Amino acid sequence: MDLSEIRAPVAEDMQIVDRLILRRLKSDVTLINQIGHYIIESGGKRLRPLTVLLVARACGYQGNQHTGLAAVVEFIHTATLLHDDVVDGSELRRSRETINAVWGNQGSVLVGDFLYSRAFEMMVDLDNMRVMDVLSHATNRIAEGEVLQLLNCNDPDTTEARYLEVIERKTATLFEAGTRLGAVLAQAPEAMEAAAAQYGLQLGIAFQLVDDALDYHADDDRLGKNLGDDLAEGKPTLPIIRAMEVGTDQERRLLRQAVENGGRDQIDAVAEAIESTEAIDYTISVARRHAQLAKESAAMLPESVQRTALKKLADFAVARTY
């Protein structure tokens, strides 16, 4: 599925967002500018700002504040990535070295802090307390999700419910906040706002489930990061959790040890156990259920080309290979 087709109904808005991101990344501190340009050149799918734009227009918004809000959401997302890569010790993202790999952990954390603070400056510019309320709550929940994930690391007894709680907070929360605020800007009725928020939540869960499945069976170059990163960090994601649940005693012992020790030493054996238990298929099936819930929520918005794009985006989140 072609992502450009999904972007088409808000293509002009997206160009404005890209220019705004470039402009608001500027600083009189050289290192921030260097890292800012590196971030922009790294690309990315920009799905979170895309959902803000699509929902705002789908709900009938005719103003221009949605582009600023979309940039804010992207800044918050990028800040979380910079901090995540430091916590996880990641060295590759979007087929390029991570910021921490190039400039060190200190530079990555501090520029992440700059992006957070710049995002809140831009929120103030929007002069909307509801925006401040929703996004400040969202950033708090994201931080909680990060801590919960840390507690799950190297714990082979992590349940599917605990895993889903982490991805709901860590990933889906920002999607939910962005889509909710798209409806808020349009002054949509309460029921429409709730539907928009639910769309973002379910889309975010589906997106992360597929990300975690791809970590064990995608092409490295296509994925843009090293396969098995989650295992290397001792993260028990759903493919591992499911394989331990239905695998043989020998497979369970292997997987428990792999999660407890982390690293990639046993990645081939782990991948084989995941394949033999059909844990990837299971993970994708769960993602499809959440994507379907997202589409059902989108159906509650007024009919438009933007609403159609939102439904297609839910399909893309599950069908993608990167």
Side-chain angles (χ1 to χ4, degrees), residues 175-236:
F175 278 98
E176 178 188 21
T179 53
R180 178 184 295 279
L181 289 175
V184 167
L185 287 183
Q187 297 183 327
E190 186 175 334
M192 194 182 299
E193 179 189 317
Q198 189 61 209
Y199 169 85
L201 179 70
Q202 299 301 332
L203 178 72
I205 293 172
F207 183 85
Q208 187 60 55
L209 282 162
V210 173
D211 250 19
D212 292 345
L214 289 174
D215 194 58
Y216 289 101
H217 79 131
D219 176 80
D220 283 49
D221 293 334
R222 185 80 168 140
L223 186 60
K225 65 175 186 176
N226 295 315
L227 282 179
D229 271 355
D230 291 338
L231 180 64
E233 296 153 15
K235 293 178 184 176

Short mmCIF file of all heavy atoms in Angstrom, two decimals, residues 175-236:
data_model
loop_
_atom_site.label_atom_id
_atom_site.label_comp_id
_atom_site.label_asym_id
_atom_site.label_seq_id
_atom_site.Cartn_x
_atom_site.Cartn_y
_atom_site.Cartn_z
N PHE A 175 -0.62 8.87 19.69
CA PHE A 175 -1.58 8.79 18.59
C PHE A 175 -2.95 9.26 19.06
O PHE A 175 -3.63 10.04 18.39
CB PHE A 175 -1.69 7.35 18.07
CG PHE A 175 -0.62 6.94 17.10
CD1 PHE A 175 0.49 6.23 17.53
CD2 PHE A 175 -0.73 7.23 15.76
CE1 PHE A 175 1.47 5.82 16.64
CE2 PHE A 175 0.24 6.84 14.85
CZ PHE A 175 1.36 6.13 15.29
N GLU A 176 -3.36 8.76 20.23
CA GLU A 176 -4.67 9.10 20.78
C GLU A 176 -4.79 10.59 21.05
O GLU A 176 -5.80 11.23 20.72
CB GLU A 176 -4.90 8.31 22.07
CG GLU A 176 -6.22 8.63 22.76
CD GLU A 176 -6.33 7.99 24.13
OE1 GLU A 176 -5.28 7.64 24.72
OE2 GLU A 176 -7.46 7.83 24.61
N ALA A 177 -3.75 11.18 21.64
CA ALA A 177 -3.77 12.61 21.95
C ALA A 177 -3.86 13.44 20.68
O ALA A 177 -4.64 14.41 20.59
CB ALA A 177 -2.52 12.99 22.74
N GLY A 178 -3.08 13.07 19.67
CA GLY A 178 -3.09 13.83 18.42
C GLY A 178 -4.42 13.79 17.71
O GLY A 178 -4.92 14.83 17.23
N THR A 179 -5.01 12.61 17.63
CA THR A 179 -6.30 12.51 16.93
C THR A 179 -7.42 13.17 17.73
O THR A 179 -8.32 13.77 17.14
CB THR A 179 -6.64 11.04 16.62
OG1 THR A 179 -6.55 10.26 17.82
CG2 THR A 179 -5.68 10.45 15.59
N ARG A 180 -7.36 13.06 19.03
CA ARG A 180 -8.35 13.76 19.87
C ARG A 180 -8.28 15.27 19.61
O ARG A 180 -9.31 15.93 19.43
CB ARG A 180 -8.11 13.48 21.36
CG ARG A 180 -9.10 14.22 22.26
CD ARG A 180 -8.79 14.01 23.73
NE ARG A 180 -8.96 12.64 24.14
CZ ARG A 180 -10.14 12.07 24.43
NH1 ARG A 180 -11.25 12.77 24.33
NH2 ARG A 180 -10.19 10.81 24.81
N LEU A 181 -7.05 15.80 19.57
CA LEU A 181 -6.90 17.24 19.44
C LEU A 181 -7.24 17.73 18.04
O LEU A 181 -7.65 18.88 17.86
CB LEU A 181 -5.48 17.66 19.83
CG LEU A 181 -5.20 17.55 21.33
CD1 LEU A 181 -3.75 17.85 21.64
CD2 LEU A 181 -6.12 18.46 22.13
N GLY A 182 -7.11 16.85 17.04
CA GLY A 182 -7.60 17.22 15.71
C GLY A 182 -9.09 17.52 15.76
O GLY A 182 -9.57 18.49 15.16
N ALA A 183 -9.83 16.69 16.53
CA ALA A 183 -11.27 16.91 16.69
C ALA A 183 -11.55 18.13 17.58
O ALA A 183 -12.50 18.87 17.35
CB ALA A 183 -11.92 15.66 17.29
N VAL A 184 -10.70 18.33 18.59
CA VAL A 184 -10.88 19.48 19.48
C VAL A 184 -10.76 20.79 18.70
O VAL A 184 -11.55 21.72 18.88
CB VAL A 184 -9.84 19.44 20.63
CG1 VAL A 184 -9.79 20.78 21.37
CG2 VAL A 184 -10.18 18.31 21.62
N LEU A 185 -9.76 20.89 17.83
CA LEU A 185 -9.60 22.10 17.03
C LEU A 185 -10.83 22.38 16.17
O LEU A 185 -11.20 23.53 15.94
CB LEU A 185 -8.37 21.98 16.12
CG LEU A 185 -6.99 22.08 16.77
CD1 LEU A 185 -5.90 22.01 15.70
CD2 LEU A 185 -6.84 23.36 17.59
N ALA A 186 -11.45 21.30 15.70
CA ALA A 186 -12.66 21.45 14.86
C ALA A 186 -13.91 21.70 15.69
O ALA A 186 -14.99 21.86 15.13
CB ALA A 186 -12.85 20.19 14.02
N GLN A 187 -13.74 21.75 17.03
CA GLN A 187 -14.87 21.91 17.94
C GLN A 187 -15.95 20.87 17.64
O GLN A 187 -17.15 21.16 17.60
CB GLN A 187 -15.44 23.33 17.84
CG GLN A 187 -14.44 24.40 18.25
CD GLN A 187 -15.01 25.80 18.22
OE1 GLN A 187 -15.87 26.13 17.39
NE2 GLN A 187 -14.56 26.65 19.14
N ALA A 188 -15.49 19.65 17.45
CA ALA A 188 -16.39 18.54 17.13
C ALA A 188 -17.23 18.18 18.35
O ALA A 188 -16.81 18.39 19.50
CB ALA A 188 -15.58 17.32 16.68
N PRO A 189 -18.40 17.60 18.15
CA PRO A 189 -19.22 17.12 19.28
C PRO A 189 -18.45 16.08 20.10
O PRO A 189 -17.52 15.44 19.60
CB PRO A 189 -20.43 16.48 18.60
CG PRO A 189 -20.48 17.09 17.24
CD PRO A 189 -19.06 17.38 16.86
N GLU A 190 -18.87 15.92 21.33
CA GLU A 190 -18.16 15.02 22.26
C GLU A 190 -18.03 13.61 21.71
O GLU A 190 -16.98 12.98 21.82
CB GLU A 190 -18.89 15.01 23.60
CG GLU A 190 -18.16 14.23 24.68
CD GLU A 190 -18.86 14.33 26.03
OE1 GLU A 190 -19.56 15.32 26.26
OE2 GLU A 190 -18.71 13.39 26.83
N ALA A 191 -19.10 13.10 21.11
CA ALA A 191 -19.07 11.73 20.57
C ALA A 191 -18.06 11.60 19.44
O ALA A 191 -17.35 10.59 19.32
CB ALA A 191 -20.46 11.32 20.09
N MET A 192 -17.95 12.63 18.60
CA MET A 192 -17.01 12.60 17.50
C MET A 192 -15.57 12.69 18.02
O MET A 192 -14.67 12.01 17.52
CB MET A 192 -17.29 13.75 16.53
CG MET A 192 -16.57 13.61 15.19
SD MET A 192 -16.89 15.01 14.08
CE MET A 192 -18.68 14.88 13.88
N GLU A 193 -15.38 13.52 19.04
CA GLU A 193 -14.05 13.62 19.65
C GLU A 193 -13.63 12.28 20.24
O GLU A 193 -12.48 11.83 20.08
CB GLU A 193 -14.04 14.69 20.75
CG GLU A 193 -12.70 14.82 21.45
CD GLU A 193 -12.75 15.71 22.68
OE1 GLU A 193 -13.40 16.77 22.61
OE2 GLU A 193 -12.14 15.34 23.72
N ALA A 194 -14.56 11.60 20.92
CA ALA A 194 -14.27 10.30 21.52
C ALA A 194 -13.92 9.28 20.44
O ALA A 194 -13.00 8.46 20.61
CB ALA A 194 -15.45 9.82 22.35
N ALA A 195 -14.64 9.32 19.31
CA ALA A 195 -14.36 8.40 18.21
C ALA A 195 -12.99 8.66 17.62
O ALA A 195 -12.24 7.72 17.30
CB ALA A 195 -15.44 8.53 17.14
N ALA A 196 -12.64 9.94 17.47
CA ALA A 196 -11.33 10.29 16.93
C ALA A 196 -10.22 9.81 17.85
O ALA A 196 -9.20 9.27 17.39
CB ALA A 196 -11.24 11.81 16.74
N ALA A 197 -10.40 10.00 19.16
CA ALA A 197 -9.41 9.56 20.13
C ALA A 197 -9.27 8.03 20.11
O ALA A 197 -8.16 7.49 20.16
CB ALA A 197 -9.78 10.03 21.53
N GLN A 198 -10.39 7.34 20.02
CA GLN A 198 -10.37 5.88 19.99
C GLN A 198 -9.68 5.37 18.73
O GLN A 198 -8.94 4.38 18.77
CB GLN A 198 -11.79 5.32 20.08
CG GLN A 198 -11.87 3.82 20.28
CD GLN A 198 -11.23 3.35 21.57
OE1 GLN A 198 -10.74 2.23 21.66
NE2 GLN A 198 -11.21 4.21 22.59
N TYR A 199 -9.88 6.06 17.62
CA TYR A 199 -9.18 5.72 16.39
C TYR A 199 -7.67 5.76 16.63
O TYR A 199 -6.94 4.82 16.29
CB TYR A 199 -9.56 6.67 15.25
CG TYR A 199 -8.67 6.51 14.04
CD1 TYR A 199 -8.93 5.54 13.09
CD2 TYR A 199 -7.54 7.32 13.87
CE1 TYR A 199 -8.09 5.37 11.99
CE2 TYR A 199 -6.69 7.16 12.78
CZ TYR A 199 -6.98 6.18 11.84
OH TYR A 199 -6.13 6.00 10.77
N GLY A 200 -7.19 6.86 17.18
CA GLY A 200 -5.75 7.01 17.41
C GLY A 200 -5.21 5.95 18.35
O GLY A 200 -4.12 5.39 18.12
N LEU A 201 -5.95 5.66 19.42
CA LEU A 201 -5.51 4.66 20.38
C LEU A 201 -5.36 3.29 19.72
O LEU A 201 -4.31 2.62 19.86
CB LEU A 201 -6.52 4.57 21.53
CG LEU A 201 -6.22 3.53 22.62
CD1 LEU A 201 -5.01 3.96 23.44
CD2 LEU A 201 -7.42 3.33 23.52
N GLN A 202 -6.38 2.86 19.00
CA GLN A 202 -6.35 1.54 18.37
C GLN A 202 -5.31 1.47 17.25
O GLN A 202 -4.64 0.45 17.08
CB GLN A 202 -7.73 1.18 17.84
CG GLN A 202 -8.83 1.10 18.90
CD GLN A 202 -8.53 0.09 19.99
OE1 GLN A 202 -7.84 -0.91 19.77
NE2 GLN A 202 -9.08 0.32 21.18
N LEU A 203 -5.17 2.55 16.49
CA LEU A 203 -4.15 2.59 15.45
C LEU A 203 -2.76 2.46 16.06
O LEU A 203 -1.91 1.72 15.55
CB LEU A 203 -4.24 3.90 14.67
CG LEU A 203 -3.18 4.09 13.57
CD1 LEU A 203 -3.45 3.17 12.39
CD2 LEU A 203 -3.13 5.55 13.10
N GLY A 204 -2.52 3.18 17.16
CA GLY A 204 -1.21 3.13 17.81
C GLY A 204 -0.87 1.75 18.33
O GLY A 204 0.28 1.30 18.23
N ILE A 205 -1.86 1.06 18.90
CA ILE A 205 -1.62 -0.30 19.39
C ILE A 205 -1.29 -1.23 18.22
O ILE A 205 -0.33 -2.01 18.28
CB ILE A 205 -2.85 -0.82 20.16
CG1 ILE A 205 -3.04 -0.02 21.45
CG2 ILE A 205 -2.69 -2.32 20.49
CD1 ILE A 205 -4.34 -0.32 22.19
N ALA A 206 -2.09 -1.14 17.15
CA ALA A 206 -1.84 -1.98 15.97
C ALA A 206 -0.45 -1.70 15.40
O ALA A 206 0.29 -2.64 15.04
CB ALA A 206 -2.91 -1.72 14.91
N PHE A 207 -0.08 -0.45 15.32
CA PHE A 207 1.22 -0.05 14.76
C PHE A 207 2.36 -0.67 15.56
O PHE A 207 3.30 -1.24 14.98
CB PHE A 207 1.33 1.47 14.75
CG PHE A 207 2.60 1.98 14.14
CD1 PHE A 207 2.70 2.14 12.76
CD2 PHE A 207 3.69 2.29 14.92
CE1 PHE A 207 3.87 2.62 12.19
CE2 PHE A 207 4.86 2.76 14.36
CZ PHE A 207 4.96 2.92 12.99
N GLN A 208 2.29 -0.59 16.88
CA GLN A 208 3.38 -1.12 17.71
C GLN A 208 3.44 -2.64 17.67
O GLN A 208 4.52 -3.23 17.68
CB GLN A 208 3.23 -0.64 19.15
CG GLN A 208 4.41 -1.00 20.05
CD GLN A 208 5.71 -0.39 19.55
OE1 GLN A 208 5.80 0.83 19.36
NE2 GLN A 208 6.73 -1.21 19.31
N LEU A 209 2.28 -3.29 17.62
CA LEU A 209 2.26 -4.75 17.50
C LEU A 209 3.00 -5.19 16.24
O LEU A 209 3.80 -6.15 16.27
CB LEU A 209 0.81 -5.25 17.47
CG LEU A 209 0.09 -5.31 18.82
CD1 LEU A 209 -1.42 -5.38 18.61
CD2 LEU A 209 0.57 -6.51 19.63
N VAL A 210 2.74 -4.52 15.13
CA VAL A 210 3.41 -4.87 13.88
C VAL A 210 4.90 -4.57 13.97
O VAL A 210 5.73 -5.36 13.50
CB VAL A 210 2.76 -4.15 12.68
CG1 VAL A 210 3.56 -4.38 11.40
CG2 VAL A 210 1.33 -4.63 12.50
N ASP A 211 5.27 -3.46 14.58
CA ASP A 211 6.68 -3.15 14.79
C ASP A 211 7.38 -4.29 15.53
O ASP A 211 8.48 -4.70 15.17
CB ASP A 211 6.82 -1.86 15.61
CG ASP A 211 7.36 -0.70 14.80
OD1 ASP A 211 7.30 -0.77 13.55
OD2 ASP A 211 7.84 0.27 15.40
N ASP A 212 6.73 -4.79 16.56
CA ASP A 212 7.34 -5.85 17.37
C ASP A 212 7.40 -7.17 16.61
O ASP A 212 8.33 -7.97 16.82
CB ASP A 212 6.56 -6.01 18.68
CG ASP A 212 6.72 -4.80 19.59
OD1 ASP A 212 7.63 -3.99 19.35
OD2 ASP A 212 5.92 -4.65 20.54
N ALA A 213 6.43 -7.41 15.73
CA ALA A 213 6.49 -8.60 14.88
C ALA A 213 7.62 -8.48 13.87
O ALA A 213 8.37 -9.44 13.62
CB ALA A 213 5.16 -8.80 14.17
N LEU A 214 7.77 -7.29 13.28
CA LEU A 214 8.80 -7.06 12.26
C LEU A 214 10.20 -7.24 12.85
O LEU A 214 11.15 -7.55 12.12
CB LEU A 214 8.67 -5.66 11.66
CG LEU A 214 7.47 -5.43 10.73
CD1 LEU A 214 7.37 -3.96 10.34
CD2 LEU A 214 7.56 -6.30 9.49
N ASP A 215 10.34 -7.04 14.13
CA ASP A 215 11.66 -7.17 14.77
C ASP A 215 12.22 -8.58 14.62
O ASP A 215 13.42 -8.78 14.79
CB ASP A 215 11.58 -6.79 16.25
CG ASP A 215 12.96 -6.58 16.86
OD1 ASP A 215 13.70 -5.73 16.35
OD2 ASP A 215 13.29 -7.28 17.84
N TYR A 216 11.35 -9.54 14.31
CA TYR A 216 11.81 -10.93 14.19
C TYR A 216 11.72 -11.51 12.79
O TYR A 216 12.18 -12.63 12.58
CB TYR A 216 11.01 -11.82 15.16
CG TYR A 216 11.38 -11.57 16.60
CD1 TYR A 216 10.57 -10.78 17.41
CD2 TYR A 216 12.56 -12.07 17.13
CE1 TYR A 216 10.92 -10.53 18.73
CE2 TYR A 216 12.92 -11.81 18.44
CZ TYR A 216 12.09 -11.04 19.24
OH TYR A 216 12.44 -10.79 20.55
N HIS A 217 11.12 -10.79 11.84
CA HIS A 217 11.02 -11.41 10.52
C HIS A 217 11.09 -10.44 9.35
O HIS A 217 10.78 -10.81 8.22
CB HIS A 217 9.73 -12.25 10.43
CG HIS A 217 8.49 -11.45 10.18
ND1 HIS A 217 7.58 -11.77 9.19
CD2 HIS A 217 8.00 -10.33 10.76
CE1 HIS A 217 6.58 -10.90 9.20
NE2 HIS A 217 6.81 -10.03 10.13
N ALA A 218 11.51 -9.21 9.57
CA ALA A 218 11.62 -8.25 8.46
C ALA A 218 13.02 -8.29 7.87
O ALA A 218 13.94 -8.92 8.41
CB ALA A 218 11.30 -6.85 8.96
N ASP A 219 13.18 -7.60 6.75
CA ASP A 219 14.48 -7.41 6.14
C ASP A 219 15.16 -6.23 6.83
O ASP A 219 14.59 -5.16 6.96
CB ASP A 219 14.31 -7.11 4.65
CG ASP A 219 15.63 -6.80 3.97
OD1 ASP A 219 16.36 -7.74 3.65
OD2 ASP A 219 15.92 -5.60 3.80
N ASP A 220 16.41 -6.43 7.28
CA ASP A 220 17.13 -5.38 8.04
C ASP A 220 17.13 -4.05 7.31
O ASP A 220 16.84 -2.99 7.90
CB ASP A 220 18.58 -5.80 8.28
CG ASP A 220 18.72 -6.83 9.38
OD1 ASP A 220 17.98 -7.82 9.34
OD2 ASP A 220 19.55 -6.63 10.27
N ASP A 221 17.48 -4.06 6.01
CA ASP A 221 17.58 -2.81 5.26
C ASP A 221 16.22 -2.14 5.13
O ASP A 221 16.10 -0.92 5.23
CB ASP A 221 18.16 -3.08 3.87
CG ASP A 221 19.62 -3.52 3.95
OD1 ASP A 221 20.29 -3.16 4.93
OD2 ASP A 221 20.07 -4.24 3.04
N ARG A 222 15.19 -2.94 4.90
CA ARG A 222 13.84 -2.40 4.75
C ARG A 222 13.34 -1.85 6.08
O ARG A 222 12.69 -0.81 6.14
CB ARG A 222 12.91 -3.52 4.27
CG ARG A 222 11.50 -3.07 3.96
CD ARG A 222 11.42 -2.43 2.60
NE ARG A 222 10.03 -2.27 2.18
CZ ARG A 222 9.58 -1.21 1.56
NH1 ARG A 222 10.37 -0.21 1.29
NH2 ARG A 222 8.31 -1.13 1.19
N LEU A 223 13.64 -2.56 7.18
CA LEU A 223 13.17 -2.16 8.50
C LEU A 223 13.89 -0.91 9.00
O LEU A 223 13.31 -0.09 9.70
CB LEU A 223 13.34 -3.31 9.49
CG LEU A 223 12.77 -3.15 10.89
CD1 LEU A 223 11.27 -2.93 10.83
CD2 LEU A 223 13.10 -4.38 11.73
N GLY A 224 15.16 -0.78 8.64
CA GLY A 224 15.92 0.40 9.05
C GLY A 224 16.56 0.29 10.42
O GLY A 224 17.06 1.26 10.97
N LYS A 225 16.56 -0.91 10.99
CA LYS A 225 17.25 -1.13 12.26
C LYS A 225 17.68 -2.59 12.28
O LYS A 225 17.35 -3.37 11.39
CB LYS A 225 16.34 -0.82 13.45
CG LYS A 225 15.13 -1.74 13.59
CD LYS A 225 14.36 -1.44 14.86
CE LYS A 225 13.25 -2.47 15.07
NZ LYS A 225 12.54 -2.27 16.35
N ASN A 226 18.45 -2.96 13.31
CA ASN A 226 18.93 -4.32 13.41
C ASN A 226 17.80 -5.25 13.86
O ASN A 226 17.08 -4.95 14.81
CB ASN A 226 20.08 -4.42 14.41
CG ASN A 226 21.30 -3.65 13.95
OD1 ASN A 226 21.69 -3.73 12.80
ND2 ASN A 226 21.90 -2.88 14.85
N LEU A 227 17.67 -6.38 13.18
CA LEU A 227 16.71 -7.38 13.63
C LEU A 227 17.13 -7.89 15.01
O LEU A 227 18.32 -8.01 15.30
CB LEU A 227 16.64 -8.55 12.65
CG LEU A 227 15.84 -8.34 11.37
CD1 LEU A 227 15.89 -9.59 10.50
CD2 LEU A 227 14.39 -8.02 11.69
N GLY A 228 16.14 -8.20 15.83
CA GLY A 228 16.43 -8.74 17.15
C GLY A 228 16.81 -7.70 18.18
O GLY A 228 17.28 -8.03 19.27
N ASP A 229 16.59 -6.42 17.87
CA ASP A 229 16.91 -5.36 18.84
C ASP A 229 16.15 -5.56 20.13
O ASP A 229 16.69 -5.35 21.23
CB ASP A 229 16.57 -3.98 18.26
CG ASP A 229 17.74 -3.37 17.49
OD1 ASP A 229 18.83 -3.98 17.49
OD2 ASP A 229 17.57 -2.30 16.88
N ASP A 230 14.87 -5.94 20.04
CA ASP A 230 14.07 -6.12 21.25
C ASP A 230 14.65 -7.22 22.12
O ASP A 230 14.74 -7.08 23.35
CB ASP A 230 12.61 -6.45 20.90
CG ASP A 230 11.88 -5.27 20.28
OD1 ASP A 230 12.31 -4.13 20.50
OD2 ASP A 230 10.88 -5.50 19.57
N LEU A 231 15.04 -8.31 21.50
CA LEU A 231 15.64 -9.42 22.25
C LEU A 231 16.97 -9.00 22.87
O LEU A 231 17.25 -9.31 24.03
CB LEU A 231 15.86 -10.63 21.34
CG LEU A 231 16.47 -11.85 22.01
CD1 LEU A 231 15.53 -12.41 23.07
CD2 LEU A 231 16.80 -12.93 20.98
N ALA A 232 17.76 -8.26 22.11
CA ALA A 232 19.06 -7.79 22.61
C ALA A 232 18.89 -6.96 23.88
O ALA A 232 19.74 -6.99 24.78
CB ALA A 232 19.78 -6.99 21.54
N GLU A 233 17.77 -6.23 23.94
CA GLU A 233 17.50 -5.37 25.11
C GLU A 233 16.72 -6.09 26.20
O GLU A 233 16.35 -5.49 27.21
CB GLU A 233 16.73 -4.13 24.64
CG GLU A 233 17.55 -3.25 23.69
CD GLU A 233 16.69 -2.44 22.73
OE1 GLU A 233 15.47 -2.34 22.98
OE2 GLU A 233 17.23 -1.94 21.73
N GLY A 234 16.44 -7.38 25.98
CA GLY A 234 15.71 -8.16 26.98
C GLY A 234 14.24 -7.83 27.06
O GLY A 234 13.61 -8.07 28.09
N LYS A 235 13.68 -7.29 25.96
CA LYS A 235 12.26 -6.91 25.97
C LYS A 235 11.38 -8.11 25.58
O LYS A 235 11.50 -8.62 24.46
CB LYS A 235 12.00 -5.77 24.99
CG LYS A 235 12.65 -4.46 25.36
CD LYS A 235 12.36 -3.41 24.29
CE LYS A 235 13.07 -2.10 24.58
NZ LYS A 235 12.87 -1.12 23.49
N PRO A 236 10.49 -8.53 26.46
CA PRO A 236 9.57 -9.62 26.11
C PRO A 236 8.34 -9.08 25.37
O PRO A 236 7.33 -8.74 25.97
CB PRO A 236 9.20 -10.20 27.47
CG PRO A 236 9.31 -9.05 28.42
CD PRO A 236 10.35 -8.10 27.85
#
